[in-house]
Amino acid sequence: MYYVYILTNKHHTVLYTGVTSDLIRRVYEHKNHLDKNSFTARYKVDRLVYFEETTDVKAAIEREKQIKSWSRDRKTSLIFESNPHWVDLYNQILG
């Protein structure tokens, strides 16, 4: 399975879009700022607010590129459709 995901910070001022084959591990890495020099560590982007899954790695990469090219308003609308309160979905994916 492959995942396209969007993270934000505490005040929802920064959005980060990524792709991974292991969503739990990847979000854990962001939450714990394992790469201290990364964009997400610098801007404290560690709240999972959106994700979608696919079995096709090429589709996941294309979808990530598509979402990254969108305006902030369009990304915000995508998040609001499935997560109107911008709840951190990390605990949900942990099961």
Side-chain angles (χ1 to χ4, degrees), residues 31-74:
K31 285 187 163 298
N32 292 283
H33 310 295
L34 297 186
D35 179 356
K36 303 295 183 200
N37 297 318
S38 70
F39 176 88
T40 56
R42 274 186 303 214
Y43 294 98
K44 297 180 175 67
V45 178
D46 58 9
R47 295 165 192 244
L48 177 66
V49 290
Y50 177 83
F51 68 93
E52 55 189 62
E53 59 186 34
T54 181
T55 57
D56 183 346
V57 66
K58 290 181 183 179
I61 293 167
E62 286 304 311
R63 180 68 168 154
E64 178 200 25
K65 289 178 185 178
Q66 179 185 45
I67 292 172
K68 281 184 172 186
S69 74
W70 290 354
S71 68
R72 179 181 175 84
D73 286 344
R74 190 163 178 192

Side-chain angles (χ1 to χ4, degrees), residues 11 24-25 29 43 47 52 60 70 82-83 85:
H11 301 290
I24 291 172
R25 176 191 53 78
E29 292 171 354
Y43 294 98
R47 295 165 192 244
E52 55 189 62
W70 290 354
S82 62
N83 188 1
H85 300 292

